[in-house]
Amino acid sequence: MTTLSIRKRLALEIARKIRKNRKELHPLKQLFWECTQRCNLHCKHCGSDCKRTSDIKDMPAEAFLRVIDSITPHVNPNEVNIVITGGEPLVRDDLEEVGLALYRRGYPWGMVSNGLYLTEQRLQSLMAAGLHAITISLDGLAEDHNWMRGHPESYSRAMTAIKMLVHERELVWDVVTCVNRRNYPYLDKLKTSLYSIGVRNWRLFTVFPVGRAAEHPDFQLTDEEFTGVMEFIKRVRREKKMHVNYGCEGFLGNYEGEVRDYFFSCNAGVSVGSVLADGSISACPSIRSNFHQGNIYQDDFMDVWENRFQPFRNRKWMKKGTCADCNFFRYCEGNGMHLRDDKGELLFCHYKRLHS
């Protein structure tokens, strides 16, 4: 069993009380819109199994904006971040229309993109529509990124997109990288490459076995490599040249407070909600198991948010299997919801991988 210092335990206890209060209040602070399941790439690690064509049609802009209008009387729009995701959002040609409508209603909005379709002209039109924040995905140096993304120009286009963002002082932006066995040995080279073009905010996460990624168990880092990622992040953060965070997934034991700016808390269904492409009302869009709580075509979003998200806010049901006898359940509460399958079973435990 891992021993945590008294100082870290006290910090975790404070974070736990804050989390408990947040669950009781469950203020909607971040709303994801899965605007499409279409994508211009075919990534080997895609949790959504997105393709160039999709059986699920893109959600009409007016349908999503009706949801926004139903939410607006219940929130302060300035305090709810709208994140447009997919699939790849840039396959749609009406993002500016939606973005401007959000901006006029007072909502800050951003998007997550692979950068393939982000031209200078498109970036400027998105910013004119109020784009506040953007994340570009980059999964390694050229050979590794192109292999993972299944497109020979995906790396060069992503780098071009990042270089454009460096010059936009009004935008909040970062780069996110999925660490896997192929790019793990080159993290230092990738850091140097990103720093040299002006990247100062970098997020790392690891592959979770959902969607297409489940077909590639060889993507999963060994426990030693997983620990190596944490040590790499600690070292880069100490350098204070580039602000690096590990993703929000998973309780990390002794690494809590060392590799990201906050202690672990899965806010899915607590302060984070989503509207999926088929109209499903869910929490974090990384959750691909069936934890949907309603559908915008039959239900009022805020009514669902207030009354149907109990599985996300009371997670005692997670205390089973690996979690049943864990001394750190009070801090972890069963890991991220995106790591639960349709039966509620845990796919893997970050803490065990780091402290086995």
Coordinates of all heavy atoms in Angstrom, one line a residue, residues 217-282:
P217 N -4.5 -3.3 -28.3 CA -4.0 -3.4 -27.0 C -2.5 -3.0 -26.9 O -2.0 -2.7 -25.8 CB -4.3 -4.8 -26.6 CG -4.4 -5.6 -27.9 CD -5.1 -4.6 -28.8
D218 N -1.8 -3.1 -28.0 CA -0.4 -2.8 -28.0 C -0.1 -1.3 -27.9 O 1.0 -0.9 -27.7 CB 0.3 -3.3 -29.3 CG -0.5 -2.8 -30.6 OD1 -1.7 -2.9 -30.6 OD2 0.2 -2.4 -31.6
F219 N -1.2 -0.5 -27.9 CA -1.0 0.9 -27.7 C -0.7 1.2 -26.2 O -0.2 2.2 -25.8 CB -2.2 1.7 -28.1 CG -2.4 1.9 -29.6 CD1 -3.5 2.4 -30.1 CD2 -1.4 1.5 -30.5 CE1 -3.7 2.6 -31.5 CE2 -1.6 1.6 -31.8 CZ -2.7 2.2 -32.3
Q220 N -1.2 0.3 -25.3 CA -1.1 0.6 -23.9 C 0.3 0.5 -23.4 O 1.1 -0.4 -23.6 CB -2.0 -0.5 -23.2 CG -3.4 -0.5 -23.5 CD -4.1 0.8 -23.0 OE1 -3.7 1.4 -22.0 NE2 -5.1 1.2 -23.7
L221 N 0.7 1.6 -22.7 CA 2.0 1.6 -22.0 C 2.1 0.5 -21.0 O 1.2 0.1 -20.3 CB 2.2 3.0 -21.4 CG 2.1 4.2 -22.3 CD1 2.2 5.5 -21.4 CD2 3.2 4.2 -23.3
T222 N 3.4 0.1 -20.8 CA 3.6 -0.8 -19.7 C 3.5 0.0 -18.4 O 3.5 1.3 -18.4 CB 5.0 -1.4 -19.7 OG1 6.0 -0.3 -19.6 CG2 5.2 -2.1 -21.1
D223 N 3.4 -0.6 -17.3 CA 3.3 0.1 -16.0 C 4.6 1.0 -15.8 O 4.5 2.1 -15.3 CB 3.2 -0.8 -14.8 CG 1.8 -1.5 -14.8 OD1 0.9 -1.1 -15.6 OD2 1.6 -2.4 -14.0
E224 N 5.7 0.5 -16.2 CA 7.0 1.2 -16.1 C 7.0 2.5 -17.0 O 7.4 3.6 -16.6 CB 8.2 0.3 -16.5 CG 9.5 1.0 -16.3 CD 10.7 0.1 -16.7 OE1 10.4 -1.0 -17.2 OE2 11.8 0.6 -16.6
E225 N 6.4 2.3 -18.2 CA 6.3 3.5 -19.1 C 5.3 4.5 -18.6 O 5.5 5.7 -18.8 CB 6.0 3.0 -20.5 CG 7.1 2.2 -21.2 CD 6.7 1.5 -22.5 OE1 5.4 1.2 -22.6 OE2 7.5 1.2 -23.3
F226 N 4.2 4.0 -18.1 CA 3.2 4.9 -17.5 C 3.8 5.7 -16.4 O 3.6 7.0 -16.4 CB 2.0 4.0 -17.0 CG 0.8 4.8 -16.7 CD1 0.1 5.4 -17.7 CD2 0.3 4.9 -15.4 CE1 -1.1 6.2 -17.5 CE2 -0.8 5.6 -15.1 CZ -1.5 6.3 -16.2
T227 N 4.6 5.1 -15.5 CA 5.3 5.9 -14.5 C 6.3 6.8 -15.1 O 6.4 8.0 -14.7 CB 6.0 4.9 -13.5 OG1 5.0 4.0 -13.0 CG2 6.7 5.7 -12.4
G228 N 6.9 6.4 -16.2 CA 7.8 7.3 -16.9 C 7.2 8.5 -17.5 O 7.8 9.6 -17.5
V229 N 5.9 8.5 -17.9 CA 5.2 9.6 -18.4 C 5.0 10.6 -17.2 O 5.2 11.8 -17.4 CB 3.8 9.2 -18.9 CG1 3.0 10.5 -19.3 CG2 4.0 8.4 -20.2
M230 N 4.7 10.1 -16.0 CA 4.5 11.0 -14.9 C 5.8 11.7 -14.5 O 5.8 12.9 -14.2 CB 4.0 10.2 -13.7 CG 2.6 9.5 -13.9 SD 1.3 10.7 -14.4 CE 0.4 9.7 -15.6
E231 N 6.9 10.9 -14.6 CA 8.2 11.5 -14.2 C 8.6 12.5 -15.3 O 9.2 13.6 -14.9 CB 9.3 10.4 -14.1 CG 9.1 9.5 -12.9 CD 9.3 10.2 -11.6 OE1 10.1 11.2 -11.5 OE2 8.6 9.9 -10.6
F232 N 8.3 12.3 -16.5 CA 8.6 13.2 -17.6 C 7.8 14.6 -17.3 O 8.4 15.6 -17.4 CB 8.2 12.6 -18.9 CG 8.2 13.6 -20.1 CD1 9.4 14.0 -20.7 CD2 7.0 14.2 -20.6 CE1 9.4 14.9 -21.7 CE2 7.0 15.1 -21.6 CZ 8.2 15.4 -22.2
I233 N 6.5 14.4 -17.0 CA 5.7 15.6 -16.8 C 6.3 16.4 -15.6 O 6.4 17.7 -15.6 CB 4.3 15.3 -16.6 CG1 3.7 14.7 -17.8 CG2 3.4 16.5 -16.1 CD1 2.3 14.1 -17.7
K234 N 6.6 15.7 -14.5 CA 7.2 16.4 -13.3 C 8.4 17.2 -13.7 O 8.6 18.3 -13.3 CB 7.5 15.3 -12.2 CG 6.3 14.9 -11.4 CD 6.8 13.8 -10.4 CE 7.8 14.4 -9.4 NZ 8.1 13.4 -8.3
R235 N 9.3 16.5 -14.5 CA 10.5 17.2 -14.8 C 10.3 18.4 -15.7 O 10.9 19.5 -15.5 CB 11.4 16.2 -15.6 CG 12.7 16.8 -16.2 CD 13.7 15.7 -16.6 NE 13.1 14.8 -17.6 CZ 13.0 15.1 -18.9 NH1 13.5 16.3 -19.4 NH2 12.5 14.2 -19.7
V236 N 9.4 18.3 -16.7 CA 9.1 19.5 -17.6 C 8.5 20.6 -16.8 O 8.8 21.8 -17.0 CB 8.3 19.0 -18.8 CG1 7.9 20.2 -19.6 CG2 9.0 18.0 -19.6
R237 N 7.6 20.3 -15.8 CA 7.0 21.3 -15.0 C 8.0 22.0 -14.2 O 7.9 23.2 -13.9 CB 5.9 20.7 -14.2 CG 4.6 20.3 -14.9 CD 3.6 19.5 -14.1 NE 3.0 20.3 -13.0 CZ 1.9 20.9 -13.1 NH1 1.2 20.9 -14.3 NH2 1.4 21.6 -12.1
R238 N 9.0 21.3 -13.7 CA 10.1 21.9 -12.9 C 10.9 22.9 -13.7 O 11.4 23.9 -13.2 CB 11.0 20.8 -12.2 CG 10.3 20.2 -11.0 CD 11.4 19.4 -10.2 NE 12.1 18.4 -10.9 CZ 11.7 17.1 -10.9 NH1 10.7 16.7 -10.2 NH2 12.4 16.2 -11.7
E239 N 11.0 22.6 -15.0 CA 11.8 23.5 -15.9 C 11.2 24.8 -16.0 O 11.8 25.8 -16.3 CB 12.0 22.8 -17.2 CG 12.8 21.6 -17.2 CD 12.8 20.8 -18.6 OE1 12.1 21.3 -19.5 OE2 13.5 19.8 -18.7
K240 N 9.8 24.9 -15.9 CA 9.0 26.1 -16.0 C 9.2 26.9 -17.3 O 9.0 28.1 -17.3 CB 9.4 27.0 -14.8 CG 9.0 26.4 -13.4 CD 9.3 27.4 -12.3 CE 8.9 26.8 -11.0 NZ 9.1 27.7 -9.8
K241 N 9.4 26.1 -18.3 CA 9.5 26.7 -19.7 C 8.2 26.4 -20.4 O 7.7 27.3 -21.2 CB 10.7 26.2 -20.5 CG 12.0 26.6 -19.9 CD 13.1 26.1 -20.8 CE 14.5 26.5 -20.3 NZ 15.6 26.0 -21.2
M242 N 7.6 25.3 -20.2 CA 6.4 24.8 -20.9 C 5.4 24.3 -19.8 O 5.8 23.6 -18.9 CB 6.7 23.7 -21.9 CG 5.4 23.3 -22.7 SD 5.8 21.9 -23.8 CE 6.6 22.8 -25.1
H243 N 4.2 24.8 -19.9 CA 3.2 24.4 -18.9 C 2.6 23.1 -19.3 O 1.8 23.0 -20.3 CB 2.1 25.5 -18.7 CG 1.3 25.3 -17.5 ND1 1.8 25.4 -16.2 CD2 0.0 25.0 -17.4 CE1 0.8 25.1 -15.4 NE2 -0.3 24.9 -16.0
V244 N 2.9 22.0 -18.6 CA 2.4 20.7 -19.0 C 1.5 20.1 -18.0 O 1.8 20.2 -16.8 CB 3.6 19.7 -19.3 CG1 3.2 18.3 -19.7 CG2 4.6 20.3 -20.2
N245 N 0.4 19.5 -18.4 CA -0.5 18.8 -17.5 C -0.8 17.4 -18.1 O -0.9 17.2 -19.3 CB -1.8 19.6 -17.5 CG -1.8 20.7 -16.4 OD1 -1.8 20.4 -15.2 ND2 -1.9 21.9 -16.9
Y246 N -1.0 16.5 -17.1 CA -1.6 15.2 -17.5 C -3.1 15.4 -17.6 O -3.6 16.2 -16.9 CB -1.2 14.1 -16.5 CG -1.8 12.7 -16.9 CD1 -1.3 12.1 -18.0 CD2 -2.7 12.1 -16.1 CE1 -1.8 10.9 -18.4 CE2 -3.2 10.9 -16.4 CZ -2.8 10.2 -17.6 OH -3.3 9.0 -17.9
G247 N -3.8 14.7 -18.5 CA -5.2 14.8 -18.6 C -6.0 14.6 -17.3 O -5.4 14.1 -16.3
C248 N -7.3 14.8 -17.4 CA -8.1 14.8 -16.2 C -8.4 13.4 -15.7 O -9.1 13.2 -14.7 CB -9.4 15.6 -16.4 SG -10.4 15.0 -17.7
E249 N -8.0 12.4 -16.4 CA -8.4 11.0 -16.1 C -7.6 10.4 -15.0 O -6.4 10.6 -14.9 CB -8.3 10.2 -17.4 CG -6.9 10.2 -17.9 CD -6.8 9.4 -19.2 OE1 -7.2 9.9 -20.3 OE2 -6.3 8.2 -19.1
G250 N -8.3 9.8 -14.0 CA -7.6 8.9 -13.1 C -6.9 9.5 -11.9 O -6.2 10.5 -12.0
F251 N -7.1 8.9 -10.8 CA -6.4 9.2 -9.5 C -5.0 8.6 -9.6 O -4.8 7.5 -9.9 CB -7.2 8.6 -8.3 CG -6.5 8.8 -7.0 CD1 -6.5 10.1 -6.4 CD2 -5.9 7.8 -6.3 CE1 -5.8 10.3 -5.2 CE2 -5.3 8.0 -5.1 CZ -5.2 9.2 -4.5
L252 N -4.0 9.5 -9.2 CA -2.6 9.1 -9.5 C -1.8 8.9 -8.2 O -0.6 8.9 -8.3 CB -2.0 10.2 -10.3 CG -2.7 10.6 -11.6 CD1 -2.0 11.8 -12.3 CD2 -2.7 9.4 -12.6
G253 N -2.5 8.8 -7.0 CA -1.7 8.5 -5.8 C -0.7 9.6 -5.5 O -1.0 10.8 -5.4
N254 N 0.5 9.2 -5.3 CA 1.6 10.1 -5.0 C 1.9 11.2 -6.0 O 2.5 12.2 -5.7 CB 2.9 9.4 -4.6 CG 2.9 8.9 -3.2 OD1 2.6 9.7 -2.3 ND2 3.3 7.7 -2.9
Y255 N 1.4 11.0 -7.2 CA 1.6 12.0 -8.3 C 0.6 13.1 -8.3 O 0.7 14.0 -9.0 CB 1.7 11.3 -9.7 CG 2.9 10.5 -9.9 CD1 3.0 9.1 -9.8 CD2 4.1 11.2 -10.2 CE1 4.2 8.4 -10.0 CE2 5.3 10.5 -10.4 CZ 5.3 9.1 -10.3 OH 6.5 8.4 -10.5
E256 N -0.5 12.9 -7.4 CA -1.5 13.9 -7.3 C -0.8 15.2 -6.9 O 0.0 15.2 -5.9 CB -2.6 13.5 -6.4 CG -3.5 12.5 -6.9 CD -4.3 13.0 -8.1 OE1 -4.7 14.2 -8.1 OE2 -4.6 12.2 -9.0
G257 N -1.1 16.3 -7.5 CA -0.5 17.6 -7.2 C 0.8 17.8 -7.8 O 1.4 18.9 -7.6
E258 N 1.3 16.8 -8.5 CA 2.7 16.9 -9.1 C 2.6 17.0 -10.6 O 3.6 17.6 -11.2 CB 3.5 15.7 -8.8 CG 3.6 15.3 -7.3 CD 4.5 16.3 -6.5 OE1 5.3 16.9 -7.1 OE2 4.3 16.4 -5.3
V259 N 1.6 16.5 -11.3 CA 1.6 16.4 -12.7 C 0.5 17.2 -13.4 O 0.3 17.1 -14.6 CB 1.6 15.0 -13.2 CG1 2.9 14.3 -12.8 CG2 0.4 14.2 -12.7
R260 N -0.3 17.8 -12.6 CA -1.4 18.7 -13.2 C -1.7 19.8 -12.2 O -1.3 19.7 -11.0 CB -2.6 17.9 -13.6 CG -3.2 17.0 -12.6 CD -4.2 16.0 -13.2 NE -4.6 15.0 -12.3 CZ -5.1 13.8 -12.6 NH1 -5.3 13.5 -13.8 NH2 -5.4 12.9 -11.7
D261 N -2.5 20.7 -12.6 CA -2.8 21.9 -11.7 C -3.8 21.7 -10.7 O -4.2 22.7 -9.9 CB -3.2 23.1 -12.6 CG -2.1 23.5 -13.6 OD1 -0.9 23.1 -13.4 OD2 -2.4 24.2 -14.6
Y262 N -4.4 20.5 -10.6 CA -5.5 20.3 -9.7 C -5.5 18.8 -9.3 O -4.8 18.0 -9.9 CB -6.8 20.6 -10.4 CG -6.9 19.9 -11.8 CD1 -7.4 18.6 -11.9 CD2 -6.5 20.6 -12.9 CE1 -7.4 18.0 -13.2 CE2 -6.5 20.0 -14.2 CZ -7.0 18.7 -14.3 OH -7.0 18.0 -15.5
F263 N -6.2 18.5 -8.2 CA -6.3 17.1 -7.8 C -7.4 16.5 -8.6 O -8.4 17.1 -9.0 CB -6.6 17.1 -6.3 CG -5.5 17.4 -5.4 CD1 -5.4 18.7 -4.8 CD2 -4.4 16.6 -5.2 CE1 -4.3 19.1 -4.0 CE2 -3.3 16.9 -4.4 CZ -3.3 18.2 -3.8
F264 N -7.3 15.2 -8.7 CA -8.2 14.4 -9.6 C -9.6 14.6 -9.1 O -10.0 14.4 -7.9 CB -7.9 12.9 -9.6 CG -8.9 12.1 -10.3 CD1 -9.1 12.2 -11.6 CD2 -9.7 11.3 -9.5 CE1 -10.1 11.4 -12.2 CE2 -10.7 10.5 -10.1 CZ -10.9 10.6 -11.5
S265 N -10.5 14.8 -10.1 CA -11.9 14.8 -9.8 C -12.6 14.6 -11.2 O -12.4 15.4 -12.1 CB -12.4 16.2 -9.2 OG -13.8 16.2 -9.1
C266 N -13.4 13.6 -11.3 CA -14.1 13.4 -12.6 C -15.4 14.2 -12.5 O -16.3 13.9 -11.7 CB -14.5 11.9 -12.8 SG -15.5 11.7 -14.3
N267 N -15.5 15.3 -13.2 CA -16.6 16.2 -13.2 C -17.7 15.9 -14.2 O -18.6 16.7 -14.3 CB -16.1 17.7 -13.4 CG -15.3 18.2 -12.2 OD1 -15.6 18.0 -11.1 ND2 -14.1 18.8 -12.5
A268 N -17.6 14.8 -14.8 CA -18.7 14.3 -15.7 C -20.0 14.2 -15.0 O -20.1 13.5 -14.0 CB -18.3 13.0 -16.3
G269 N -21.0 15.0 -15.5 CA -22.3 14.9 -14.8 C -22.4 15.7 -13.6 O -23.5 15.8 -13.0
V270 N -21.3 16.3 -13.2 CA -21.2 17.2 -12.0 C -21.2 18.7 -12.4 O -22.0 19.5 -11.9 CB -20.0 16.8 -11.1 CG1 -20.0 17.8 -9.9 CG2 -20.1 15.4 -10.6
S271 N -20.3 19.0 -13.2 CA -20.2 20.3 -13.8 C -20.1 20.3 -15.3 O -20.0 21.3 -16.0 CB -19.1 21.2 -13.2 OG -17.9 20.6 -13.4
V272 N -19.9 19.1 -15.9 CA -19.7 18.9 -17.3 C -20.8 18.0 -17.9 O -21.1 16.9 -17.4 CB -18.4 18.1 -17.5 CG1 -18.2 17.9 -19.0 CG2 -17.2 18.9 -17.0
G273 N -21.4 18.6 -18.9 CA -22.5 17.9 -19.6 C -22.2 17.9 -21.1 O -21.3 18.6 -21.6
S274 N -23.0 17.1 -21.9 CA -22.8 17.1 -23.3 C -24.1 16.8 -24.1 O -25.0 16.1 -23.5 CB -21.7 16.1 -23.7 OG -22.1 14.8 -23.5
V275 N -24.1 17.2 -25.3 CA -25.2 16.9 -26.2 C -24.5 16.2 -27.4 O -23.6 16.7 -28.1 CB -25.9 18.1 -26.7 CG1 -26.9 17.7 -27.8 CG2 -26.6 18.9 -25.6
L276 N -24.8 14.9 -27.5 CA -24.2 14.1 -28.6 C -24.9 14.2 -29.9 O -26.0 14.7 -30.0 CB -24.1 12.6 -28.1 CG -23.4 12.4 -26.8 CD1 -23.3 10.9 -26.5 CD2 -22.0 13.0 -26.7
A277 N -24.2 13.7 -31.0 CA -24.7 14.0 -32.3 C -26.1 13.4 -32.5 O -26.9 14.0 -33.3 CB -23.7 13.3 -33.3
D278 N -26.5 12.4 -31.8 CA -27.8 11.8 -32.0 C -28.9 12.4 -31.1 O -30.0 12.0 -31.0 CB -27.8 10.3 -31.8 CG -27.4 9.9 -30.4 OD1 -27.1 10.8 -29.6 OD2 -27.5 8.7 -30.1
G279 N -28.4 13.5 -30.3 CA -29.3 14.1 -29.4 C -29.2 13.6 -28.0 O -29.9 14.2 -27.1
S280 N -28.5 12.6 -27.7 CA -28.3 12.1 -26.4 C -27.8 13.1 -25.4 O -26.9 13.9 -25.8 CB -27.4 10.9 -26.3 OG -27.9 9.8 -27.1
I281 N -28.4 13.2 -24.2 CA -27.9 14.1 -23.2 C -27.0 13.2 -22.3 O -27.4 12.2 -21.7 CB -29.1 14.6 -22.3 CG1 -30.0 15.5 -23.2 CG2 -28.5 15.4 -21.2 CD1 -31.3 15.9 -22.6
S282 N -25.7 13.6 -22.3 CA -24.7 12.8 -21.5 C -23.8 13.7 -20.7 O -24.2 14.9 -20.5 CB -23.9 11.9 -22.5 OG -23.1 11.0 -21.8

